[in-house]
Amino acid sequence: MIEETGNWEYSDKLSPTLLGRLYDTYFPRLYNYLSYRTTNREEAEDLTELVFERVIAKYHTFDPKRGAFESWIFTIARNALLNHKRQQFRHPESELTEWFEGEEELSPDRLFLKQEELHRLRHYLTRLNERERELIALRYGAELSQRRVGELLGMNEATVAVALSRAVRRLRVMFEGEEQPKETTPRKGRPKKAGKD
Amino acid sequence: MKLWNRFLAKSNQETTLDQNPAERERDARFSAWLEEEGTFRASSKFQSDLRTRLLVQATTSPKSERSPSFSWFRLIPAGVGLVALLAFALILVSTLSSPASVELTQVAGNPALGTTPDLNGDKLNSVYDQATEDYLNLDETTTTLGFAPSLPQYLPPGYQVENVALTYGEPPTLPNRVRPPVISPIENVLPQPHGLQFQLTSLKAAESNHVQVYQLLTPATVEDSPHFNIQGAQRFTQQAVQGAVGYFIQGTRWRVAYSASVGAKMATPHPSPMLRNRMMPPKIKGTIGRMGMATMPSKLKASAKIAFSQNQANGSVANTFFIDFQPREDGKSARSLVWAKNGVLTVLVGGDSVTDDELHRIAESFKPISRHS
């Protein structure tokens, strides 16, 4: 788990050095979070870029006394995502075949398997309802603590814990192909698919 | 929200109560897998490109967004707003009907109207090396290069500096960059030179509106520096730049023949700062295209051959270096301005919309090169 403070010190002016540190600290988690919440790499990349552009534009409004930077930047990410979803309403998204970036040290076979797993993960994430998907994305994609997830979603920590365990179970069951999910909210514009046998 | 919390808590308690240990174990394993393996990684190219774009954005044009929800315009009564609009229209009409020559005189050649980079002139206190993605200390960079780097004091309106990078040895195949010339070692005496390269980019995003700059400490003494000539160009004219010999060159491929005596006074970049400056061969970077900046197919490809050497009476060796340039990778003709001053060869490759006058003005606005002793 990444430390909440990150490896940077707050300054009221966003210098290139500070921006570089913030970028290095938060880029992987932001990208991962947005990958959990979107259906293809291009969306995740565009949104990641948008979030950092807003960080540059809005940094002067960040007040460390009012909350952690981590909460602030993921609030920006969630708002950007929300706006994106609204805009997408008229243009249903399509799932693109893509090749995820993998670790270079993995063998080709292992890399292929991992990419296949990530592809399946993203597929089944789209079949969770919005709340469950958001919980999992914030906890595992953004690597936020349950307390921080609760702050962002307006839930207490205990509720986050049980909701999260429930969401993980539903995802796990779909992922392992044990049974059909009872509640599905298929995304607009995509034919409803049966779960994996 | 409380209802939601209560509902979730209740339903999940019911769910978790009937879990058997095996199920919980599998959930835990899956949760651990999500933490360890369920990670989407961005492509390293995208990650590094975005980092560069954001740093350029933060360095050159920090945004300050206004809140869209509140505007003082809303406080103006409708009647006052209408009067203001009419007054503005009158001013606009009178401005447009005034003699155009006045405006042109005001705009043309006014450095203040150009985009002034933060890394400009006296403000230059570090060099952002895109290849290593770091800011390099100016003193160390000066020692490494063998001369003090400087950026032009004049930029054409709408242009900004970007892609500053140090290079060493083999030229990198970087898009939108000047490819530095390679000078082969002479009889294992001369090291590969370091160079400073950067690009001036028009934010108007017109294709090819880039000016690319490459500065290189030539393997020559100060006294030798004016002795170069141009060969193989389709068209070239001699042009004095900063009181030194220079050439305007129009061509697809051309060559600088550079004579120098290599002896005790040989100019060699200081080798010691290399490690501190992390002067590894630059990594290949992607294009800059996301902020509306045009990507340009042109590169300055250059390679150099040592043609011959001749022993001199005083023990030094006279050499002629042939440095081949191909300003645009697509083979099209390009306008370049080349000059040598104090043993530093500078090559400016102009974009399509940059006039000769502007190119010359950029060249003249460089600070005089001071070599590192």
Side-chain angles (χ1 to χ4, degrees):
Chain A
M1 175 65 72
I2 293 175
E3 288 180 12
E4 290 181 0
T5 51
N7 56 352
W8 62 282
E9 288 183 5
Y10 171 74
S11 167
D12 55 354
K13 188 174 183 296
L14 185 62
S15 65
T17 307
L18 178 57
L19 177 63
R21 285 185 183 153
L22 290 174
Y23 183 87
D24 294 340
T25 303
Y26 290 103
F27 176 89
R29 296 164 64 193
L30 264 176
Y31 181 83
N32 199 26
Y33 164 72
L34 291 166
S35 295
Y36 269 70
R37 297 290 281 121
T38 54
T39 55
N40 60 62
R41 186 177 59 197
E42 285 76 14
E43 274 186 282
E45 287 181 353
D46 289 346
L47 285 168
T48 306
E49 180 166 355
L50 183 64
V51 169
F52 277 107
E53 284 176 352
R54 288 188 183 172
V55 166
I56 292 174
K58 297 282 189 182
Y59 183 81
H60 64 281
T61 67
F62 168 65
D63 182 359
K65 293 173 187 168
R66 293 169 56 190
F69 185 82
E70 188 177 62
S71 298
W72 187 73
I73 195 170
F74 279 103
T75 301
I76 291 177
R78 293 186 70 227
N79 289 335
L81 189 69
L82 195 63
N83 289 337
H84 176 70
K85 298 276 182 193
R86 284 183 190 139
Q87 289 169 2
Q88 232 178 15
F89 185 73
R90 292 179 187 174
H91 306 282
E93 61 204 31
S94 58
E95 195 169 344
L96 300 178
T97 303
E98 61 180 318
W99 185 256
F100 296 112
E101 190 80 2
E103 293 93 338
E104 291 175 355
E105 64 270 21
L106 291 180
S107 66
D109 290 351
R110 181 73 189 93
L111 187 62
F112 179 80
L113 285 175
K114 177 157 188 182
Q115 285 166 346
E116 181 63 22
E117 283 175 338
L118 287 176
H119 196 79
R120 287 177 60 216
L121 173 62
R122 184 173 259 172
H123 171 70
Y124 288 118
L125 279 168
T126 64
R127 305 186 67 185
L128 296 173
N129 64 44
E130 275 296 309
R131 178 61 63 138
E132 289 171 332
R133 193 175 179 186
E134 180 70 358
L135 277 165
I136 287 180
L138 287 171
R139 181 68 186 89
Y140 297 100
E143 300 178 24
L144 296 178
S145 65
Q146 291 186 357
R147 183 169 62 86
R148 195 75 79 201
V149 173
E151 285 173 13
L152 285 172
L153 299 182
M155 300 162 68
N156 63 50
E157 197 171 344
T159 309
V160 168
V162 288
L164 193 62
S165 66
R166 186 183 184 196
V168 167
R169 160 154 304 196
R170 279 173 46 76
L171 181 64
R172 196 261 298 168
V173 166
M174 283 190 286
F175 195 77
E176 293 178 351
E178 290 179 352
E179 61 185 50
Q180 292 283 344
K182 289 173 184 174
E183 299 171 26
T184 56
T185 53
R187 307 181 76 81
K188 289 181 181 295
R190 185 183 308 149
K192 192 173 180 179
K193 294 179 182 176
K196 189 177 172 67
D197 295 331
Chain B
M1 193 57 69
K2 285 182 180 175
L3 275 176
W4 169 255
N5 284 336
R6 220 180 305 164
F7 168 74
L8 273 180
K10 187 181 178 186
S11 60
N12 281 290
Q13 278 168 0
E14 288 168 359
T15 307
T16 49
L17 280 176
D18 61 1
Q19 280 185 4
N20 60 47
E23 286 290 292
R24 267 179 286 175
E25 173 67 22
R26 291 171 78 174
D27 285 348
R29 276 207 306 268
F30 184 69
S31 178
W33 177 84
L34 278 176
E35 283 184 351
E36 297 297 321
E37 303 286 332
T39 305
F40 295 89
R41 287 185 173 83
S43 74
S44 52
K45 179 179 178 304
F46 168 74
Q47 189 169 351
S48 62
D49 282 357
L50 178 59
R51 191 182 201 278
T52 305
R53 285 198 299 274
L54 292 168
L55 286 173
V56 168
Q57 187 177 334
T59 305
T60 57
S61 57
K63 289 181 184 173
S64 56
E65 280 190 1
R66 295 171 66 106
S67 170
S69 60
F70 180 81
S71 170
W72 62 271
F73 285 108
R74 295 181 187 176
L75 301 178
I76 301 175
V80 177
L82 188 62
V83 171
L85 189 66
L86 284 171
F88 176 71
L90 274 173
I91 293 168
L92 190 65
V93 168
S94 61
T95 305
L96 290 176
S97 59
S98 62
S101 60
V102 176
E103 287 182 50
L104 288 173
T105 308
Q106 288 173 341
V107 172
N110 185 353
L113 295 177
T115 306
T116 307
D118 288 348
L119 294 173
N120 201 357
D122 294 330
K123 294 178 185 174
L124 184 71
N125 52 21
S126 65
V127 175
Y128 176 63
D129 187 355
Q130 184 165 349
T132 55
E133 298 178 358
D134 205 353
Y135 285 89
L136 302 178
N137 179 279
L138 186 59
D139 291 336
E140 289 188 6
T141 303
T142 300
T143 311
T144 304
L145 285 168
F147 62 91
S150 68
L151 299 180
Q153 302 290 301
Y154 170 78
L155 298 178
Y159 276 72
Q160 68 173 16
V161 175
E162 64 172 24
N163 287 349
V164 177
L166 289 168
T167 61
Y168 174 72
E170 186 68 20
T173 52
L174 300 174
N176 301 333
R177 298 278 197 82
V178 176
R179 295 196 66 185
V182 179
I183 298 180
S184 304
I186 308 170
E187 298 169 357
N188 298 322
V189 173
L190 286 177
Q192 293 282 28
H194 296 92
L196 180 69
Q197 60 180 5
F198 52 94
Q199 175 174 293
L200 317 179
T201 299
S202 169
L203 295 181
K204 292 172 184 171
E207 181 89 11
S208 300
N209 265 356
H210 303 259
V211 177
Q212 300 187 62
V213 184
Y214 184 75
Q215 290 180 303
L216 167 76
L217 185 70
T218 57
T221 59
V222 176
E223 292 78 11
D224 288 322
S225 59
H227 300 291
F228 76 95
N229 59 68
I230 306 297
Q231 300 175 345
Q234 282 79 348
R235 217 167 45 240
F236 67 91
T237 53
Q238 193 166 326
Q239 175 73 46
V241 182
Q242 294 187 333
V245 177
Y247 293 94
F248 265 122
I249 304 169
Q250 179 76 46
T252 54
R253 295 182 73 94
W254 41 272
R255 165 180 286 186
V256 171
Y258 202 103
S259 296
S261 60
V262 180
K265 293 186 291 183
M266 178 185 67
T268 55
H270 200 287
S272 59
M274 286 172 54
L275 289 178
R276 293 205 302 275
N277 262 345
R278 298 194 289 139
M279 297 300 293
M280 297 298 290
K283 293 176 285 187
I284 294 174
K285 296 293 170 188
T287 56
I288 305 281
R290 287 217 170 205
M291 288 199 310
M293 294 182 186
T295 55
M296 185 174 71
S298 64
K299 292 178 190 173
L300 180 57
K301 291 176 69 176
S303 60
K305 302 286 184 294
I306 304 302
F308 55 84
S309 61
Q310 184 178 3
N311 288 325
Q312 300 290 296
N314 60 5
S316 63
V317 180
N319 291 276
T320 298
F321 311 92
F322 289 147
I323 309 174
D324 293 317
F325 289 92
Q326 183 184 341
R328 288 180 64 136
E329 197 177 47
D330 56 10
K332 292 181 180 175
S333 182
R335 192 76 169 156
S336 307
L337 180 55
V338 185
W339 76 97
K341 177 85 173 175
N342 286 351
V344 175
L345 185 71
T346 304
V347 182
L348 246 70
V349 180
D352 290 345
S353 64
V354 178
T355 64
D356 284 358
D357 284 345
E358 281 183 317
L359 214 55
H360 188 250
R361 187 162 186 174
I362 295 169
E364 289 287 0
S365 72
F366 275 92
K367 277 186 173 180
I369 296 292
S370 58
R371 290 173 61 143
H372 179 70
S373 57

